[in-house]
Amino acid sequence: WLIRDPDSRRAQRTRELFDRGPRSFLDMQSPLFDHAVPEAEPAVDFLLEAAADHPKLVRAGHADLPAALDDLAEWDQTASADSTAMTWYHIWNNLNARLVKRLDRIPDKELLQATAIRAASDASRLLVNTYQTAFVPWGDVHVLRRGDRDLPLSGAGTGDPIFRSGDTAYTDGKWVADFGYAYAMIVQFTDPPASISLVPFGASDRPESPHFSDQMTLLSERRMKILHTARNDVFRSAVSARGTLLEFVDH
């Protein structure tokens, strides 16, 4: 009723997580950083079925294709930084994007299967030609970049995970995240309130500032920081302050 976008697998995954029941304050961090790839399940199932139905096409493909399919079959279908299957899936998905999104709409299954296998062979070939291996951890090529710092990044745009982080800007052999969370905060309305937050890079846009990229590690590690709001907490955690604190006394 609020947003008229069509339902998506990302939205379905969100409902699935919240339907599991009440969550604690700390538990609420988990959905924010959930890197399950909900679009992968039907697409991977289709590809593995196609490979089983057409072993000759698989044998005629790239030499590393059978091993890549084995890796895909063992994949937990998350965009984790250490996943080699996610890197392969990302490339195969982009080579094959129209097919992946229309699996249930195109009646010619034989053609679909052959197309999927050819794209899978091309994905393995592209990986080997670019990185000299078909098994590249996602965090090695999907990074958060700020200044001269690169950090491995989970999540993706491909596959529609909740932890959405750009994976289309490609330069120097890496997909540099160029979209994602601008700001994230979780609040517990207790007395006093408690809250945690994250600014993906840091609180400053000045490269010379220590806060230019000091929150990159939090995002890379899927963590948040305590947000100080009470006066005494702010004073205790402050590194420096400017100005004068005025106190009005009633005589």
Side-chain angles (χ1 to χ4, degrees):
W1 56 269
L2 180 63
I3 300 297
R4 298 194 180 275
D5 292 343
D7 198 11
S8 66
R9 292 192 178 275
R10 187 171 186 243
Q12 292 166 21
R13 173 66 177 174
T14 303
R15 292 197 298 273
E16 175 191 332
L17 292 176
F18 285 123
D19 284 347
R20 293 178 183 178
R23 309 180 75 88
S24 72
F25 175 55
L26 292 178
D27 286 341
M28 288 304 298
Q29 293 180 70
S30 178
L32 181 70
F33 294 118
D34 185 77
H35 54 19
V37 184
E39 283 187 354
E41 183 177 356
V44 168
D45 287 350
F46 181 85
L47 176 59
L48 295 177
E49 180 186 357
D53 289 347
H54 301 281
K56 289 184 179 179
L57 284 179
V58 174
R59 289 195 297 270
H62 190 271
D64 284 324
L65 177 56
L69 293 173
D70 289 341
D71 192 32
L72 205 63
E74 296 297 322
W75 183 30
D76 63 359
Q77 296 182 3
T78 65
S80 60
D82 60 355
S83 173
T84 56
M86 178 60 203
T87 308
W88 191 96
Y89 172 79
H90 170 66
I91 293 175
W92 176 73
N93 180 87
N94 281 278
L95 290 172
N96 215 30
R98 290 186 177 181
L99 178 147
V100 168
K101 292 184 180 298
R102 299 178 183 179
L103 290 176
D104 56 349
R105 293 182 238 169
I106 300 177
D108 192 340
K109 184 176 180 180
E110 291 287 320
L111 176 60
L112 282 173
Q113 288 184 324
T115 302
I117 293 171
R118 281 194 294 270
S121 181
D122 289 342
S124 295
R125 182 177 296 105
L126 191 153
L127 276 165
V128 172
N129 289 347
T130 306
Y131 303 105
Q132 290 70 59
T133 175
F135 307 98
V136 182
W138 182 230
D140 286 4
V141 293
H142 180 237
V143 299
L144 189 66
R145 178 173 293 171
R146 179 79 151 172
D148 58 359
R149 294 186 70 195
D150 274 9
L151 291 179
L153 188 61
S154 300
T158 298
D160 218 16
I162 294 175
F163 185 17
R164 198 162 180 81
S165 52
D167 58 13
T168 57
Y170 183 81
T171 179
D172 300 327
K174 295 182 179 180
W175 287 275
V176 181
D178 59 352
F179 65 83
Y181 293 125
Y183 179 73
M185 180 170 66
I186 300 173
V187 180
Q188 179 173 257
F189 293 99
T190 50
D191 186 15
S195 58
I196 53 179
S197 68
L198 172 67
V199 179
F201 295 107
S204 175
D205 280 335
R206 294 184 293 112
E208 67 274 16
S209 168
H211 305 298
F212 179 67
S213 61
D214 59 343
Q215 294 186 50
M216 279 180 68
T217 302
L218 292 176
L219 185 60
S220 176
E221 296 178 354
R222 296 191 299 155
R223 296 188 293 117
M224 302 182 80
K225 62 174 177 59
I226 294 173
L227 182 62
H228 298 293
T229 54
R231 173 182 291 202
N232 290 338
D233 289 341
V234 171
F235 286 166
R236 275 195 297 266
S237 60
V239 175
S240 63
R242 295 180 183 180
T244 301
L245 178 65
L246 300 178
E247 183 174 352
F248 295 93
V249 179
D250 185 14
H251 292 287

